[in-house]
Amino acid sequence: MKIDLTDTNASEVSAAMVRARRAVGSPAMGMVLTLVVVTDEATYYDAMKAASAISSEHPARVLGVIRRSARGSSELNAQVRIGNNSSGEAVLLRLNGEVTRHAESVVLPLLLPDSPVVVWWPGAAPQNPAEDPLGALGQRRLTDAAAAARNKAGALHRVARNYAAGDSDFAWTRLTAWRALLAAALDQVEVNIIDGLVAAERGNPSAELLGAWLEDRLGVPVERKLSHGPGITEARLTTDRGTISITRRNGTSGVFSIPGEVDRPVALKRRSLPELLSEDLRRLDEDDVYAATIRHLLDRAKPPGRRTPAKKGTKKTAPKKVTPKKAT
Amino acid sequence: MTSTRHNPLRDPQDRRLPLIAGPCSLVIFGVTGDLARKKLIPAVYDLANRGLLPPGFSLIGFARRDWEDQDFADIVYESARAHARTPFREEVWDQLAAGMRFVPGSFDDDQAFEQLARTISELDVARGTGGNHAFYLSIPPTFFPDVVDQLRKHGLAEAAGAWRRVVIEKPFGHDLHSAKELNAIVSEVFLRESVFRIDHYLGKETVQNILAFRFANGMFEPIWNSHYVDHVQITMAEDIGIGGRAGYYDGIGAARDVIQNHLLQLLALVAMEEPVSFNAYSLRIEKQKILANAHPPERLDLHTARGQYAAGWAGGEKVGGYLQEQDIASSSTTETYAAIRLDIETRRWAGVPFYLRTGKRLGRRVTEVAVVFKRAPHQPFSKTATEELGENALVMRIQPDEGVTLRFGAKVPGTAMEIRDVNMDFAYGGAFVESSPEAYERLILDVLLGDPPLFPQHEEVELAWEILDPIMKFWAGHGKPESYPSGGWGPASADEMLARDGRVWRRP
């Protein structure tokens, strides 16, 4: 069911949503959150598609906000979509003219009562997501530094500098499989870690984060190396007993090697947008480990004299002693 | 998994990181069976696809087939392709295929078990499985003693500095006596905490949600007792017949097949007191308290019912009766429908009957728990206004169409005051079910992680038999089950059984 509204306002959109829901027989939706997708004409299609793909796991009211030219007379056009193989509702809001500067006034009345709000910028993110008028509506704000047209590393540093509880970046989400394998490696062997290395293609923000995470957690220096990609191609830890490494040359599968064991193939696919979004929506509170990692990332970027002293519990002196897990 | 060691890359706050099972392998006995091909292998593939299996994870098949590793890999490939819920990806397959081995042989074949032992130690070297192996007995329980004994004999049941686990499927015996025997055989060889009894119902998200629903919320627990609850109905209905399972089903019947495990576990979860924590031990003692205090009424003739499906039309198809099924003797008295009443003698539940029913060839496939509440003590409305008002009910739909329904009265729009029942629905989302892990996925991962909360131990199994044994004995001494037409909601005696208590079955 689709309803198009031209030159409209939030209360008419609200009424259209109720109408559309009635028309499909008032199905129980059990929507758990409102997902605000801040996008533009060029990228809205893929973003809205990803948002409705995850509606099966996270039934949501998806509000797509497209800001068009701020010039000309103020106009709001909307399209309400309910059903169509997704278990939530979707509204596409096109803003023209002066209202583009007041998008939050359109979105606020359309939020689900009492449920969490997630704001997602699939493309360029604002300077300060938490203080952006739309970002301020959400308790989770998702950005994607890798989507920046140029200077992706700069984009990451910018969201990191303006970090507020509830922010996270897809550059971090993309790392979960790598981090899980590295953690599994340390579950399996008893080693003292001496240093590390992360190799990736130029300007890969995830590699920056992976390096920062390893440094922060292990308290050892982690070198960054450029490679031809795609994405991250290697994460390596040098230890007193040999090398722990995960290498991935083709973007789909990698090789896992730890001291004293034969190398093993591991599936390590670069994940799609809906998969990333779905992982991020599973947790709606602050990601403390991400916060610690970007804190470390920013710290590293400062000249040596101005770094904040290591905090208790987050940084430890190298090398670290790791004893193996007892089999139960 | 207890570990005193601190892995610096792990942090309890880091909830994105999945817990990957440590190095290990899974050995499946009876790998050519239906369960293995349709559930276990797809679940293993899905786990691999979600990145939850350790690098080097190995899968070993054991069956009486003249196969090479490659033939086995082909079978696994086919069943993963056909039945896995996550998309098929070659790179995941390659990772899994590298660790696949097949050992041909029968369960009394010493050579085969020697070869299994060799295969396992080879894998420890070649794939780094670290001596940790789980044995999944996907075979008829009559073979359990043979296999368990062989495992012991060939030194497979224990290893220094590593774990060995055994996984067994229901039925855990056919009465209290045989359950104890079975437990004696298994526990002689494996440690208590190394025995994992799979009741796949407990792996379902919706079953675990019963605990979340009851104990994470403040608004339901205050009315979850005999002051407000009139009775509870737990239903597991199947629309199919016994299919090709005559050999397994005949002589076992609905009560042993379903009530003893699934329905009594559901009953325990619905009725138990709040556990002090969500760990295996606390959950188990609370469940055991309920099972130990649940009894059928004395007059079994009045408060139980059983039936056997007869020929009829089910869902637009003409179907034969139970006695016409292949390999079923025309004199069989096996019940395909069973309904029982249980009373729980605790302060919370005194006077609240729990009605359990299960059957084959019923109206539709559904599993649900319905908590039916007492009527309001006083109605300020006229009798005509509330004529159509039923009892309030809270229904937890376990499968399919997973969710929760709350049934209550609402005013019918119009000038007259007329109150009728309406439903308020929470659905787990249309396709949510697809993206939520299969029960077997969850349970296999728990076995590999050594995480036991969802597995019943032998005390629970034995308590459940203690409840059921007197009923089975009574039925055995009282002739044949009543026949009921296929495609309906069971025998008339089941309706009479509730009518005696002044109640009716919900149409699920």
Side-chain angles (χ1 to χ4, degrees), chain B residues 467-497:
Chain B
I467 294 170
L468 210 56
D469 270 0
I471 298 172
M472 300 313 297
K473 211 169 131 197
F474 174 80
W475 283 350
H478 284 79
K480 290 170 78 74
E482 183 189 358
S483 73
Y484 60 93
S486 289
W489 282 108
S493 57
D495 296 333
E496 289 156 18
M497 162 188 156

Side-chain angles (χ1 to χ4, degrees), chain B residues 8 18 69 73 77 141-142 148 150 182 194 228 274 276 324 344 369 401 403 451 493:
Chain B
D69 290 349
Y77 183 84
T142 41
V148 169
Q150 289 280 23
L182 177 66
S194 304
Y228 298 95
E274 183 168 8
V276 289
Q324 285 101 56
I344 301 174
V369 176
D401 187 24
D451 193 19
S493 57

Side-chain angles (χ1 to χ4, degrees), chain A residues 128-266:
Chain A
N128 186 336
E131 282 182 12
D132 177 85
L134 277 174
L137 295 175
Q139 68 197 87
R140 284 281 275 119
R141 286 164 294 276
L142 308 176
T143 53
D144 189 356
R150 61 178 79 85
N151 192 9
K152 298 180 200 307
L156 178 66
H157 280 263
R158 196 161 52 242
V159 293
R161 266 197 307 280
N162 295 312
Y163 175 80
D167 289 3
S168 76
D169 196 282
F170 277 173
W172 176 244
T173 316
R174 288 191 182 92
L175 285 177
T176 304
W178 284 87
R179 297 196 302 122
L181 283 173
L182 287 164
L186 291 195
D187 280 341
Q188 294 184 17
V189 289
E190 174 188 356
V191 287
N192 293 320
I193 296 154
I194 299 159
D195 61 16
L197 176 142
V198 174
E201 64 187 322
R202 181 181 294 279
N204 183 301
S206 294
E208 288 280 307
L209 282 174
L210 183 59
W213 178 65
L214 287 172
E215 281 181 350
D216 184 46
R217 304 298 307 182
L218 300 173
V220 299
V222 176
E223 188 194 336
R224 313 292 195 279
K225 206 178 104 181
L226 284 185
S227 73
H228 292 295
I232 300 176
T233 52
E234 182 177 9
R236 189 198 311 159
L237 297 174
T238 315
T239 76
D240 58 343
R241 287 186 48 204
T243 306
I244 293 175
S245 81
I246 298 160
T247 48
R248 178 183 72 181
R249 306 253 173 259
N250 56 8
T252 54
S253 61
V255 176
F256 176 90
S257 59
I258 55 176
E261 306 272 4
V262 284
D263 290 359
R264 300 162 219 173
V266 285

Side-chain angles (χ1 to χ4, degrees), chain A residues 34-318:
Chain A
T34 307
L35 177 62
V36 182
V37 186
V38 190
T39 172
D40 54 34
E41 288 291 350
T43 55
Y44 86 89
Y45 182 78
D46 286 337
M48 291 299 276
K49 210 169 126 192
S52 61
I54 58 101
S55 74
S56 51
E57 187 177 337
H58 307 279
R61 174 176 289 176
V62 181
L63 304 175
V65 180
I66 301 176
R67 288 195 184 103
R68 291 158 61 141
S69 168
R71 280 178 296 182
S73 61
S74 191
E75 185 180 301
L76 167 68
N77 296 330
Q79 185 182 65
V80 175
R81 277 180 288 182
I82 286 183
N84 300 338
N85 296 327
S86 95
S87 44
E89 320 175 302
V91 183
L92 197 57
L93 302 161
R94 286 195 166 84
L95 279 55
N96 280 307
E98 205 182 343
V99 70
T100 53
R101 286 194 286 273
H102 304 284
E104 72 282 4
S105 75
V106 179
V107 170
L108 184 71
L110 299 177
L111 301 177
L112 283 175
D114 237 12
S115 307
V117 178
V118 179
V119 186
W120 172 36
W121 291 271
Q127 280 288 331
N128 186 336
E131 282 182 12
D132 177 85
L134 277 174
L137 295 175
Q139 68 197 87
R140 284 281 275 119
R141 286 164 294 276
L142 308 176
T143 53
D144 189 356
R150 61 178 79 85
N151 192 9
K152 298 180 200 307
L156 178 66
H157 280 263
R158 196 161 52 242
V159 293
R161 266 197 307 280
N162 295 312
Y163 175 80
D167 289 3
S168 76
D169 196 282
F170 277 173
W172 176 244
T173 316
R174 288 191 182 92
L175 285 177
T176 304
W178 284 87
R179 297 196 302 122
L181 283 173
L182 287 164
L186 291 195
D187 280 341
Q188 294 184 17
V189 289
E190 174 188 356
V191 287
N192 293 320
I193 296 154
I194 299 159
D195 61 16
L197 176 142
V198 174
E201 64 187 322
R202 181 181 294 279
N204 183 301
S206 294
E208 288 280 307
L209 282 174
L210 183 59
W213 178 65
L214 287 172
E215 281 181 350
D216 184 46
R217 304 298 307 182
L218 300 173
V220 299
V222 176
E223 188 194 336
R224 313 292 195 279
K225 206 178 104 181
L226 284 185
S227 73
H228 292 295
I232 300 176
T233 52
E234 182 177 9
R236 189 198 311 159
L237 297 174
T238 315
T239 76
D240 58 343
R241 287 186 48 204
T243 306
I244 293 175
S245 81
I246 298 160
T247 48
R248 178 183 72 181
R249 306 253 173 259
N250 56 8
T252 54
S253 61
V255 176
F256 176 90
S257 59
I258 55 176
E261 306 272 4
V262 284
D263 290 359
R264 300 162 219 173
V266 285
L268 197 55
K269 200 185 109 171
R270 306 189 77 188
R271 290 185 299 168
S272 67
L273 208 50
E275 286 170 287
L276 298 173
L277 188 57
S278 197
E279 176 183 318
D280 261 309
L281 293 185
R282 249 166 246 156
R283 291 281 173 186
L284 295 175
D285 52 349
E286 185 179 7
D287 188 336
D288 300 305
V289 178
Y290 171 69
T293 303
I294 54 168
R295 217 179 297 129
H296 182 84
L297 182 79
L298 294 176
D299 222 30
R300 250 182 128 250
K302 287 182 197 161
R306 294 181 48 206
R307 291 185 190 171
T308 42
K311 255 192 248 114
K312 200 181 153 207
T314 54
K315 282 184 199 165
K316 282 152 198 147
T317 46

Side-chain angles (χ1 to χ4, degrees), chain A residues 180-181 267, chain B residues 18-21 24 26 28 39-55 57 59 80 83-87 89 92-93 95-96 136 198 436-449:
Chain A
L181 283 173
Chain B
L19 204 52
I20 297 181
C24 61
L26 180 68
I28 303 181
K39 295 286 184 189
L40 304 184
I41 291 170
V44 167
Y45 171 81
D46 288 329
L47 284 173
N49 201 357
R50 290 164 68 207
L52 299 177
L53 293 181
F57 172 83
L59 181 67
H83 301 292
R85 77 181 168 86
T86 54
R89 284 160 39 191
V92 175
W93 172 253
Q95 174 187 352
L96 209 52
Y136 199 120
I198 287 218
S436 76
E438 260 292 326
Y440 275 103
E441 239 173 288
R442 169 75 196 255
L443 294 171
I444 290 175
L445 182 63
D446 281 356
V447 169
L448 300 180
L449 289 169

